[in-house]
Amino acid sequence: MSERILVVDDERDIVEAIADILALEGYAVLKAYRGYDAVKTAVKEKPDLVILDVKMPIMDGMDTLHELRQKGFEKPVIIISGHGDVKTAVEAVRLGAFDFLEKPLSRNGLLIAVQNAVATAAEQAPIEPDAQDQIIGRDPAFIQCLRVAERIAPTTAPVLITGDTGTGKEIIARYIHGHSKRKKHFVEVNCAAIPDELIESELFGHVKGSFTGAISDKTGKFLAADGGTLFLDEIGDMSLKTQAKVLRAIQEKIIIPVGSNTPVSVNVRIISATNKDLAQEIEENRFREDLFYRLNVIELRMPSLSERKSDIPLMADHFAMASGKENGLKHVQLTEDAKGLLAKRDYPGNVRELKNLVERIVVISQKSSISMEDVKMILDNRFDIKDGEFLETSNLPVPPSPSEIDFFKINSLKEFRDRIERLFIIEKLKQTAFNISKTAEIMETPRSNLYKKLEQYDIDVKELEAYYGKQT
Ligand SMILES: Nc1ncnc2c1ncn2[C@@H]1O[C@H](COP(=O)(O)OP(=O)(O)OP(=O)(O)O)[C@@H](O)[C@H]1O
Ligand SMILES: [Mg+2]
């Protein structure tokens, strides 16, 4: 074993004691007695793991953890806390520390935590990059969800994640997978985006020649997720026919590819998500009750942002920093009153809306310290885009309305129809705050059809949303 571990505590005796235990187990130990020294050493020496005391003078454990992450140090950090600061340690774990240990440390407890951290880091390295998406939140309503997620992660129990649009259903599904022992694959299927004729082959695969267009064998998502997690997103939009097949696959743990007679056994953990009220769907005979009970062994309801308002400033900071980084701006921060203003708004699109808004603010203002005035400017829409440059204008930019476009210059009926249809879809998307389910609903068309149209007309919902924001 040659993992290198950095031990940080202002009490030298403790550092020495931990170092001795670790050295005996064959780990290489680095030591620091102050937060800032720890950061310096971590950046320079790139240890595989940091063990960090919470209570230290000048720069405490939380600040050190924050600084380490800021500097791009992504390896696991184990927090050590005294009896009085367990709460802080728990918070540190929420903010991305791997684990925490309470003083007095036991030799076994320490070694187990270290082994877990090192093993997880090694296993996690190659998995999907999205899994590293940091999950942010300290509000009790959210912490409650994270606790449940962590507790159920190592089991194979199916989980049904419910909650409004943009509340983080997908990110928590990935989090559960990340904390499970199923390190293999996280395979996602968006049940609403796949047309009904194709979903069976998508889920169970098909053999060559089983239908027109099946030019070679195809592995379905169930098999692709064997040993891992299958995430059935927007499960409420799955047709009754497909529901019956999925139910069978889950019950019997076997799948039969389209056009084949040979059952294949699969071992997958199912996490499903929906923003529909499945009880209602069952009532109206659109969702099978037996499938519901199979999927809903554990229900995790994601709180909407209005139920966890205290997280808005924290998230705003995180999103500003992240989007600054993507745009070549270092250490982007929002002033307190800028965050205060953001916290006062409503976010019908929940975390996604907040994230998009903050990204817009960062991109448009191009500053590393964002003031309340900068936020106001974007909220009031006092800007315009010309030649790819953002300009502040005193007038609201009015998006072109259908009547302003000279439709009679168009000759072909098809082009006319397409142009109108495109505008119509964009308009409906705006009305629903870019919620695809709702848009499909008011347009009275299946979601899969809406997805097709979005592709056909090259409508990028995320981009539109970022441009218009949610002006509800
Ligand atoms: N706790 C969180 N910390 C950081 N980012 C978050 C958090 N929750 C959500 N996000 C971000 O917000 C966006 C929306 O999250 P996600 O896609 O998980 O929501 P959803 O509930 O699946 O939405 P939908 O119902 O529209 O499918 C993503 O960009 C995600 O990374
Ligand atoms: Mg989702």
Side-chain angles (χ1 to χ4, degrees):
M1 233 178 287
S2 60
E3 277 89 6
R4 294 153 70 240
I5 303 177
L6 171 61
V7 182
V8 193
D9 196 319
D10 57 313
E11 290 173 71
R12 286 177 184 254
D13 292 352
I14 292 186
V15 174
E16 292 310 326
I18 296 176
D20 286 349
I21 295 172
L22 295 176
L24 262 176
E25 293 296 313
Y27 295 104
V29 182
L30 304 161
K31 301 169 193 172
Y33 308 104
R34 289 286 182 265
Y36 49 84
D37 280 336
V39 175
K40 249 197 270 170
T41 310
V43 169
K44 194 163 150 239
E45 303 286 340
K46 302 188 174 57
D48 301 290
L49 168 69
V50 175
I51 299 179
L52 181 63
D53 185 30
V54 165
K55 212 165 171 184
M56 291 187 294
I58 311 171
M59 197 169 158
D60 69 10
M62 292 296 274
D63 292 338
T64 309
L65 174 64
H66 188 71
E67 196 60 25
L68 282 169
R69 294 306 187 216
Q70 209 82 289
K71 294 244 151 66
F73 182 80
E74 280 169 359
K75 288 292 168 69
V77 173
I78 296 176
I79 299 285
I80 339 173
S81 75
H83 187 59
D85 5 85
V86 172
K87 239 177 108 190
T88 324
V90 171
E91 217 163 84
V93 174
R94 305 300 164 222
L95 288 174
F98 180 82
D99 201 353
F100 76 90
L101 295 168
E102 211 181 321
K103 283 180 191 171
L105 300 178
S106 76
R107 183 179 172 279
N108 271 348
L110 173 70
L111 288 178
I112 289 170
V114 166
Q115 277 156 16
N116 280 341
V118 169
T120 308
E123 279 172 356
Q124 264 179 355
I127 65 172
E128 289 91 335
D130 283 354
Q132 286 153 16
D133 252 9
Q134 250 204 72
I135 190 157
I136 307 291
R138 279 191 216 174
D139 195 285
F142 179 69
I143 295 291
Q144 183 76 17
C145 280
L146 274 190
R147 288 226 176 101
V148 174
E150 282 156 15
R151 212 169 49 233
I152 61 178
T155 72
T156 53
V159 187
L160 175 67
I161 305 171
T162 57
D164 280 349
T165 180
T167 46
K169 295 186 292 295
E170 177 167 347
I171 203 172
I172 198 108
R174 290 181 186 276
Y175 184 83
I176 294 172
H177 174 74
H179 284 72
S180 72
K181 299 206 167 66
R182 311 194 141 244
K183 293 300 178 203
K184 278 217 167 133
H185 302 288
F186 181 89
V187 176
E188 183 191 347
V189 185
N190 185 337
C191 304
I194 303 166
D196 215 37
E197 319 82 71
L198 293 182
I199 192 144
E200 209 184 314
S201 128
E202 190 73 20
L203 290 172
F204 309 121
H206 63 237
V207 293
K208 185 177 164 180
S210 53
F211 55 88
T212 329
I215 46 172
S216 57
D217 286 1
K218 176 188 160 97
T219 305
K221 302 279 186 180
F222 264 88
L223 199 55
D226 197 20
T229 304
L230 180 63
F231 179 47
L232 299 173
D233 202 3
E234 320 275 8
I235 187 87
D237 292 85
M238 186 180 269
S239 73
L240 283 165
K241 186 172 148 231
T242 312
Q243 287 174 32
K245 299 202 162 138
V246 167
L247 176 67
R248 207 183 63 185
I250 296 176
Q251 272 172 342
E252 296 169 14
K253 297 192 169 58
I254 54 163
I255 50 136
I256 304 174
V258 177
S260 157
N261 297 317
T262 324
V264 186
S265 71
V266 286
N267 164 15
V268 293
R269 202 260 180 95
I270 309 267
I271 302 183
S272 39
T274 182
N275 50 23
K276 287 201 169 158
D277 175 359
L278 289 186
Q280 180 79 22
E281 297 295 301
I282 292 169
E283 189 100 321
E284 289 168 19
N285 294 320
R286 282 194 297 265
F287 205 84
R288 290 183 68 116
E289 195 170 7
D290 45 8
L291 178 60
F292 174 74
Y293 287 116
R294 281 279 165 178
L295 299 174
N296 191 38
V297 174
I298 292 158
E299 181 179 344
L300 197 57
R301 193 187 77 84
M302 297 305 291
S304 59
L305 203 49
S306 60
E307 294 167 78
R308 45 184 292 218
K309 281 198 158 153
S310 75
D311 277 341
I312 295 177
L314 186 74
M315 289 188 149
D317 264 337
H318 172 77
F319 294 141
M321 185 71 76
S323 109
K325 218 170 169 184
E326 263 178 33
N327 289 286
L329 295 160
K330 272 193 193 140
H331 298 289
V332 177
Q333 278 179 330
L334 294 141
T335 60
E336 287 306 314
D337 48 0
K339 283 185 273 189
L341 184 60
L342 286 174
K344 277 199 207 123
R345 278 186 92 238
D346 282 337
Y347 296 87
N350 295 296
V351 184
R352 178 180 297 110
E353 181 178 353
L354 173 66
K355 185 176 176 188
N356 287 340
L357 175 62
V358 172
E359 282 172 359
R360 266 171 85 222
I361 296 171
V362 170
V363 169
I364 293 170
S365 65
Q366 292 284 327
K367 289 179 183 164
S368 55
S369 171
I370 293 172
S371 68
M372 187 163 90
E373 186 47 37
D374 297 320
V375 174
K376 265 197 188 140
M377 185 179 101
I378 313 297
L379 289 178
D380 300 348
N381 243 334
R382 280 189 276 126
F383 69 94
D384 200 356
I385 307 178
K386 277 221 178 72
D387 307 326
E389 296 267 305
F390 290 102
L391 304 171
E392 192 175 344
T393 66
S394 48
N395 300 323
L396 293 182
V398 185
S401 74
S403 60
E404 286 165 29
I405 295 176
D406 198 351
F407 279 108
F408 297 108
K409 283 202 180 123
I410 300 170
N411 290 322
S412 102
L413 181 60
K414 182 174 183 312
E415 191 187 344
F416 177 76
R417 278 201 199 120
D418 287 355
R419 294 272 296 267
I420 286 280
E421 194 167 59
R422 186 173 195 278
L423 277 173
F424 176 73
I425 295 173
I426 293 177
E427 201 48 43
K428 294 297 152 198
L429 283 166
K430 277 157 63 184
Q431 283 174 19
T432 60
F434 305 94
N435 180 319
I436 295 188
S437 301
K438 279 196 199 139
T439 305
E441 213 172 293
I442 52 173
M443 287 171 54
E444 296 178 16
T445 188
R447 287 184 51 143
S448 58
N449 186 45
L450 178 56
Y451 273 104
K452 247 192 273 170
K453 296 276 178 198
L454 294 177
E455 204 175 306
Q456 181 187 345
Y457 297 132
D458 199 18
I459 301 174
D460 185 330
V461 180
K462 292 235 159 80
E463 211 172 85
L464 271 181
E465 191 179 343
Y467 179 64
Y468 288 105
K470 286 204 174 127
Q471 297 152 358
T472 31

